Amino acid sequence: MTESQPRKPSVTKVQPVRGTHDLIGESARRHFHVIETARRVAATYGFDEWSTPIFEETAVFARGLGDTSDVVMKEMYSFTDRGGESLTLRPEATAGICRALVTNGLTQSLPQKVFYTGPMFRYERPQKGRYRQFHQIDVEVLGSPEPLADAEVIACGWSILQALGVAQDVVLELNTLGDRESRMAYREALIAYFSTHKEALSEDSRLRLERNPLRVVDSKDPGDKAIVADAPTIHPYLNEHSAAFYGKLREHLARIGVPVVENPRIVRGLDYYSHTAFEFVTSQLGAQGTVLGGGRYDGLVEEMGGPHTPCVGWAAGVERLSMLLAHPPAAPAGIAVIPAAEAQEGAALDIVQALRTAGLRAEMAYRGNLKRRMERANKTGAHTAIILGESELARGVAQVKNLSTGDQQEIALTDLAAKLA
RNA sequence: GCGGACGUAGCUCAGCUGGUAGAGCGCCAGGUUGUGGUCUUGGAUGUCGCGGGUUCGAGCCCCGUCGUUCGCCCCA
């Protein structure tokens, strides 16, 4: 830059933006272990990975959210670009995926089974397990109205949690919202019920009753909970189709062997949701207990301007899953190649490159005598040290030391890669 | 957006009723001229988050601010 723009007053001390965090060392290993495990398991279910832009036109996310939620302008990172367009850093993955489905013409080739991962952005008050830039993994089946798709999506989530070793800390809570007709009937019933208890409801819930009656059902207020306990559940209001759908889903899940706890208090506020709603919940993360949640959103693609396309999927927070991992993934161990003196550095460089070509993790410290380099080998967690001295090189061999047992033996240079593989 | 708690070396934390900072781990160097991890000896580290105020004097008291955290709200 030749001309300096007007700058903000220089910060006395740089620090990360509120609600963001760096991933380094163990935290990075936890993070990527979660993502790689999810990616691998999702692939076994036949999901293909997609990647879409990190920002979209604001309308992509605002559509369908309506005016009832705070979300739209209060909690999105929206900005106007130099061309005057309103853009938004994605707060979730699903909307972008649906947009991509429509704009790539894929509504002609359904179903699509999508795995997704990446950073998301929400302007919220940070807490443990809740950040302004956070990461999600997502699994979606686009274009399938069958309960088999719901079962598969849930089973995939369950398999990932099992593969991560956190399944025992988590329960699957399941509910149905029915189709539109059923949901409307239930909504009326809830309004009728809560209206007769209006005086006893918390102030928050009285507001919810007007804006979003279903949300009263998952209020955390102790007084509300007592009233909610006797509130109607949706089941009597499900029409034949919705009841059959829910029955079929439970049947599939039982057959797959996913343990289910039915929880009629799981609700969703927006109109494009229908039928299945579920959450895998842990008690180990305080208030941020949902570790993976999702359901069926048969109306979203249509609101995005596409054809009616029934979909089901879930999203999970990578940060929360990382915190649940009982054991941090081990740092990778490699081979340390150590010249005994500067004169052997060239030969050591040849060997470290040969080992890498053979697919082995191998390093040579940039500086230091034998002792320093041994210390460094130990610190970086190397499992083996290859020590190259003048006399050994003259004979075409190296000292190979097992750093966990301390055993050391001579191996011919030409055999190194094969013996250490 | 609302309410509470916290913020001291790289990390985890101690610091009495206000008298200009400590421990453990880690780091660096020696005990070893071609061998790490254990042991041992020595060493360096801090604008006590930041800004202001009270006071002869503030890590400690007061106000503000930034950040973290617990809960609420929200949860697409």
Side-chain angles (χ1 to χ4, degrees), chain A residues 26 29-30 33 164-166 321-330:
Chain A
E26 186 190 311
R29 288 197 297 275
R30 286 175 177 268
H33 175 71
L164 289 171
V166 304
L321 288 172
S322 296
M323 287 188 280
L324 283 179
L325 293 180
H327 304 293

Side-chain angles (χ1 to χ4, degrees), chain A residues 50 64 66 70 97 112 139 161 184 208 218 226 301 303 311 320 324 362 380 384 389-390 399:
Chain A
W50 286 17
D70 290 354
I97 291 170
Q112 292 284 334
V139 157
L161 296 174
M184 286 305 143
R208 290 187 189 107
D218 66 356
V301 173
E303 292 193 21
C311 303
R320 291 182 195 176
L324 283 179
T380 59
T384 301
E390 193 179 357
Q399 297 293 336

Side-chain angles (χ1 to χ4, degrees), chain A residues 48-358:
Chain A
D48 290 327
E49 186 161 358
W50 286 17
S51 180
T52 65
I54 219 163
F55 55 83
E56 298 270 358
E57 289 177 16
T58 297
V60 169
F61 304 113
R63 200 169 303 214
L65 288 172
D67 321 322
T68 55
S69 64
D70 290 354
V71 164
V72 177
M73 284 297 149
K74 273 191 192 164
E75 296 185 6
M76 295 200 310
Y77 275 97
S78 297
F79 60 97
T80 305
D81 75 1
R82 289 165 189 272
E85 278 205 86
S86 178
L87 305 179
T88 295
L89 299 184
R90 64 182 178 207
E92 51 127 1
T94 310
I97 291 170
C98 290
R99 191 233 83 220
L101 181 86
V102 172
T103 56
N104 287 282
L106 294 172
T107 50
Q108 299 297 310
S109 21
L110 299 175
Q112 292 284 334
K113 294 169 70 173
V114 182
F115 173 78
Y116 200 98
T117 182
M120 310 293 160
F121 306 84
R122 299 183 186 182
Y123 189 83
E124 295 186 287
R125 177 110 173 215
Q127 278 180 38
K128 189 179 189 175
R130 185 204 246 198
Y131 305 95
R132 289 184 170 179
Q133 178 178 340
F134 60 101
H135 300 77
Q136 288 189 327
I137 51 181
D138 261 75
V139 157
E140 320 277 353
V141 174
L142 310 168
S144 171
E146 293 83 6
L148 203 48
D150 304 57
E152 186 174 72
V153 153
I154 292 171
C156 180
W158 176 241
S159 293
I160 290 169
L161 296 174
Q162 283 180 309
L164 289 171
V166 304
Q168 73 284 349
D169 300 326
V170 141
V171 295
L172 167 60
E173 302 190 351
L174 179 71
N175 194 25
T176 182
L177 306 168
D179 61 11
R180 190 174 191 83
E181 180 185 79
S182 306
R183 204 164 53 256
M184 286 305 143
Y186 179 48
R187 188 186 148 101
E188 291 312 311
L190 278 182
I191 292 173
Y193 172 80
F194 286 122
S195 295
T196 64
H197 295 83
K198 201 167 179 178
E199 301 313 311
L201 283 175
S202 67
E203 200 183 323
D204 282 332
S205 282
R206 265 175 283 173
L207 262 172
R208 290 187 189 107
L209 184 53
E210 287 170 27
R211 297 183 177 180
N212 205 341
L214 290 201
R215 280 282 173 202
V216 180
V217 160
D218 66 356
S219 171
K220 285 180 188 169
D221 181 273
D224 290 349
K225 281 186 172 178
I227 299 170
V228 168
D230 294 324
T233 70
I234 193 167
H235 298 101
Y237 301 92
L238 293 176
N239 58 23
E240 198 179 335
H241 163 69
S242 298
F245 187 100
Y246 190 49
K248 205 73 186 159
L249 171 59
R250 282 176 301 163
E251 199 179 295
H252 293 324
L253 288 174
R255 182 157 196 128
I256 293 169
V258 184
V260 171
V261 174
E262 290 190 70
N263 179 357
R265 306 302 171 215
I266 293 181
V267 293
R268 299 278 121 100
L270 300 173
D271 281 344
Y272 55 72
Y273 287 113
S274 50
H275 297 292
T276 314
F278 64 92
E279 296 179 358
F280 286 89
V281 180
T282 178
S283 57
Q284 305 196 358
L285 295 178
Q288 316 300 321
T290 298
V291 120
L292 186 156
R296 184 162 272 283
Y297 51 100
D298 288 351
L300 183 59
V301 173
E302 219 165 346
E303 292 193 21
M304 206 76 69
H308 176 72
T309 308
C311 303
V312 57
W314 54 254
V318 176
E319 282 80 1
R320 291 182 195 176
L321 288 172
S322 296
M323 287 188 280
L324 283 179
L325 293 180
H327 304 293
I335 299 164
V337 178
I338 301 177
E342 210 179 324
Q344 287 82 50
E345 247 183 25
L349 184 56
D350 292 343
I351 287 166
V352 78
Q353 284 302 106
L355 293 171
R356 289 165 174 171
T357 302

